[in-house]
Structure formats: structure tokens, C-alpha cells
Amino acid sequence: MARQARAVETRRLILQGAAVVFDEMGYDAASIKEILSRVPVTKGALYFHFPSKEDLARGVLEEQTLHPNFLPQTSKLQEVVDLAMTVAHALPNDAMLRAGSRLALERGSVDFAAHSPFLAWAKVCEELLEEAKRDGEVLPHVDCRETAELIVGSFTGIQAFSQVSSGLLDLEQRVSAMWRHILPAVAVPSALTRMDTGPDRGARLSQAAAG
Amino acid sequence: MARQARAVETRRLILQGAAVVFDEMGYDAASIKEILSRVPVTKGALYFHFPSKEDLARGVLEEQTLHPNFLPQTSKLQEVVDLAMTVAHALPNDAMLRAGSRLALERGSVDFAAHSPFLAWAKVCEELLEEAKRDGEVLPHVDCRETAELIVGSFTGIQAFSQVSSGLLDLEQRVSAMWRHILPAVAVPSALTRMDTGPDRGARLSQAAAG
């Protein structure tokens, strides 16, 4: 492997290990020692990439919004739905997503507000909604930023509710219900009837992406 | 004061102090010593009412759903809206509500799932929705439990988003937007047009209750 490719791979390994530890323990209880015990890299390599625990947390927060892949659709509004359904499907098995969410929800000793995934997710969602609006799928009075921030906020709280009620087992069911409740206030009637918001949407997309 | 009234007052004082400390520090960093430094009660009195930090946290979680008062309305659906708008208005100045929310959102070293305010709030909300449905205000296909749990989950995440974006200053605006998005999927048209979901609804209710 070329030196640069190896560095990218090492960085990825470290962030993956950090995500597992932040997800399990939260920011304050996590330690670099604990993270080092989970990844096959030297202390020197870790400190080269991430000089502090704060840098590791920021790395995890920045990584998580780059994470999910979803298939392009002809409907941009369907892509907004798919983004949430894909994350809901992936979350129980994706430490990076769970760690980002835990770091965002917990007000620990360090304030990660400036690196909050809330704002990054809302931006992704807002841009898709703006495209959907240009395509005539979104009702004219909808303020895309307001709706995007509502979706991201709601999703996050629904995830916390699902964690308590079922250890995330009912998350896809709950996110599907979110769409059934929110979309009538967002989509034009002809787009609304075409939207696929089934709780198994994330699983079907993930199979299609793998196949 | 009779002995029993004094005991109730002491218990209330302790929970109030515990709420301030849990809100500021989170569960893991909070200590009974810190709580004792904020309330004018003896160590003996505190341990008489709450033998452990866990008992204090459970007390705060149980207290918070008993907390908000809202004025009875002829429309039960308006009461659901009012409950959320009242909490949104009170939250920035109410340590008990904020502490309950922080304990519910943070996965600390103790699991408070069984005492989660999520389920208690959802129950209050579900009962009001059931009444609204009997009164013909709610669309026939609405599953009141599903909608109630969605509202409570969404509210919680919106609050976390508002904490990051504005330190809760825009919370009432965001909760008002939540109602504008969700109600069209819940209310029959004639009830929908009558709902007051303005961001100043909580402030107006609080003035009316005080006046």
C-alpha cells in the first residue's frame, strides 16, 4: 500500500474504534487508552492523526454524516425519506452513527455544538427538499430549512424514544410513522401518493445497494 | 407547620436542588455532596428521603411529568398542543423539566429506561388524544398511541436541536412548526382550522394562568 493510502486506512481504523468506545461509554467516560485497546495501531499513530480526545470526537462527528449511502431516485422527496429510512435501518449495527448521535445528545464536559451533526444533517436534508420543491413535489408555502430542521430534530428524539422502548428494534416502524405524519404537510398530493414510507424501505434499499 | 407538611416541603426542596445539579452536570458527574451544597437541608434529612443518587434521579424523573399546569380547554386536541407549548415556554427557566430531559437523553452509568419520562409523557398525551378522538376532533384512522409517542419523541429531539442552535431561545418557534407539520395528519379539517399553534401560545397560557 502506498504511504498515503495506509494513512487513510489507519485514520479510518482509529475513528471506527473511537466510535465504538464513544457509543458504549459516552464522551466523558471514554479514554484514549480504551480506544487504543480496541484498534491495532500504535499510540504514536493515534496521536499523529488525533492529538486529543476532543479531536477524536470531532472526527467521529464529521465522519458520520458522510457515512450513509442511498440510491439516487427520480423523486428528490423520496430521497429525503430514503435518507432517514437508510439511517434508521443502519443505526442498530453502525457504531459511527450511534456514537455521533450520542455525542450530539449528551451535554458532556466539552461542547460539540459547533460540530453538531444536527446542522450537517439538516443541510443535506434542506438541499434535497429545495430540489424537490423546484421539481414541484413540495407545497409552495413550505420553508425547506424549517422542515429540514424539524425532520432532523424529530428523527433524533424518535431514536432516543426507540432506544428506551425497544433498544432500537422499533426504530424503522417509528420513523415510518414520522413520515406518515409529516409528509401531508410537505408534499403536493400527487407526490404524496407516490412516496414509499414503509418501515421496510431501509432494508429494501440496503439489499438493492448490495445486490 | 405540621410534621407531614414539613416533610413534603423538605422533599420538594431536595428534588429542586437535585434537578439543578443534574441539569448542570448530568447524572454521572453529579454528587450528593454537590446537591447538599445547594439545599438548606441536613445530610440526614436527604438520606431519609432519598437513600442514593439513583433514588434522587428517579424522584426528579417522576416529579417532572407532574409539573406543568395548563388551562382546561373545550377542545382536547388544543390541550395536547397546549401541553407541548406550555412545556416549551417553561423549559428554559425550569430546572426540573430540563433535568428530567437530560436524564432521559443521556445513557449514563445507570439505566433509567423504566423511569423514563418518555413513557409517562406519552401516556398523558395518548389519553388526551383518545378524548379528542371521542369528541370527533381526530381523524378516524389515527392510532392515538403511535401519534402520542411520535409527538413526545419529536418534541424531545427538537429540544435537543434548539439547545444546540440557540440555547433553547428558538424552542417555541420550533415546537409551533412541529404542530403545523403534524396536525394536518391528525385533526379533522374543522378542528384543524380552530387550533391555536402560535409560538406565543405558551406565554399567553402562562399569563392567563397567573392573572
Side-chain angles (χ1 to χ4, degrees):
Chain A
M1 237 192 291
R3 183 180 287 187
Q4 208 190 336
R6 210 156 49 215
V8 169
E9 173 65 12
T10 302
R11 191 174 185 281
R12 206 190 55 76
L13 267 178
I14 296 168
L15 283 181
Q16 198 57 45
V20 170
V21 174
F22 286 134
D23 172 46
E24 277 176 23
M25 312 177 76
Y27 181 77
D28 284 345
S31 68
I32 289 190
K33 199 178 152 198
E34 183 67 36
I35 293 167
L36 273 172
S37 77
R38 312 283 185 107
V39 279
V41 300
T42 64
K43 199 168 168 175
L46 186 142
Y47 279 105
F48 171 76
H49 287 281
F50 301 99
S52 70
K53 188 167 81 165
E54 267 188 67
D55 292 310
L56 281 161
R58 273 195 288 268
V60 166
L61 285 167
E62 280 155 16
E63 185 80 7
Q64 76 138 350
T65 39
L66 309 171
H67 218 52
N69 286 309
F70 57 97
L71 296 172
Q73 306 289 332
T74 46
S75 157
K76 289 292 163 186
L77 193 55
Q78 184 66 55
E79 285 191 9
V80 181
V81 172
D82 287 358
L83 181 60
M85 296 314 296
T86 302
V87 174
H89 182 67
L91 216 115
N93 301 307
D94 189 322
M96 195 69 79
L97 288 169
R98 281 204 314 277
S101 151
R102 182 162 189 180
L103 290 170
L105 279 177
E106 298 194 356
R107 292 183 281 147
S109 55
V110 176
D111 185 359
F112 292 108
H115 298 266
S116 171
F118 282 141
L119 303 173
W121 283 115
K123 188 128 195 68
V124 173
C125 197
E126 182 187 345
E127 282 164 7
L128 287 170
L129 282 172
E130 289 287 4
E131 283 192 71
K133 197 172 186 177
R134 278 195 291 274
D135 295 345
E137 294 185 296
V138 168
L139 293 164
H141 68 270
V142 168
D143 172 341
C144 292
R145 170 170 296 182
E146 182 187 71
T147 299
E149 295 188 353
L150 173 73
I151 290 167
V152 172
S154 295
F155 182 96
T156 309
I158 288 165
Q159 178 197 328
F161 199 123
S162 170
Q163 179 75 46
V164 167
S165 72
S166 72
L168 296 181
L169 287 179
D170 61 14
L171 178 60
E172 292 176 88
Q173 199 71 48
R174 289 183 187 278
V175 177
S176 169
M178 177 186 88
W179 287 119
R180 276 188 281 110
H181 281 79
I182 288 179
L183 281 177
V186 174
V188 302
S190 63
L192 186 59
T193 55
R194 285 197 310 267
M195 287 302 115
D196 178 355
T197 60
D200 61 342
R201 176 77 186 165
R204 280 186 277 119
L205 288 170
S206 144
Q207 269 165 11
Chain B
M1 237 192 288
R3 182 180 291 187
Q4 207 189 337
R6 210 157 46 215
V8 169
E9 172 66 10
T10 301
R11 192 175 184 283
R12 206 191 54 76
L13 266 179
I14 296 168
L15 283 180
Q16 197 57 44
V20 170
V21 173
F22 286 134
D23 173 46
E24 278 176 24
M25 312 178 75
Y27 181 77
D28 283 346
S31 68
I32 289 190
K33 198 178 153 199
E34 183 65 37
I35 293 167
L36 273 172
S37 77
R38 313 282 186 109
V39 280
V41 301
T42 64
K43 199 168 167 174
L46 186 143
Y47 279 105
F48 171 76
H49 287 281
F50 301 99
S52 71
K53 188 166 83 164
E54 267 191 65
D55 292 310
L56 281 161
R58 273 195 287 268
V60 167
L61 284 167
E62 282 158 14
E63 185 80 6
Q64 77 139 348
T65 38
L66 309 171
H67 218 50
N69 286 309
F70 57 99
L71 297 171
Q73 305 289 333
T74 45
S75 158
K76 289 291 164 188
L77 193 55
Q78 184 67 55
E79 285 191 8
V80 181
V81 172
D82 288 358
L83 181 60
M85 295 314 296
T86 301
V87 173
H89 181 68
L91 215 113
N93 301 306
D94 190 321
M96 194 70 79
L97 288 170
R98 281 204 313 277
S101 152
R102 182 163 188 177
L103 290 170
L105 279 178
E106 298 194 353
R107 292 183 280 148
S109 54
V110 177
D111 186 0
F112 293 108
H115 297 267
S116 170
F118 282 141
L119 304 172
W121 282 115
K123 189 127 195 70
V124 173
C125 197
E126 183 186 345
E127 283 166 6
L128 287 171
L129 281 172
E130 288 288 5
E131 282 192 71
K133 196 171 186 179
R134 278 194 291 273
D135 295 346
E137 295 186 294
V138 168
L139 292 165
H141 66 270
V142 168
D143 173 341
C144 292
R145 171 171 294 181
E146 181 187 69
T147 299
E149 294 188 352
L150 172 72
I151 290 168
V152 172
S154 294
F155 182 96
T156 309
I158 287 166
Q159 178 196 328
F161 199 123
S162 170
Q163 179 77 46
V164 166
S165 73
S166 72
L168 297 181
L169 286 179
D170 61 15
L171 179 60
E172 291 175 88
Q173 200 71 47
R174 289 183 186 278
V175 177
S176 169
M178 176 186 89
W179 287 120
R180 275 187 283 111
H181 281 80
I182 289 180
L183 281 178
V186 175
V188 302
S190 63
L192 186 60
T193 56
R194 284 197 310 268
M195 286 302 116
D196 179 355
T197 60
D200 60 341
R201 175 78 186 166
R204 281 185 277 119
L205 287 169
S206 143
Q207 269 164 13

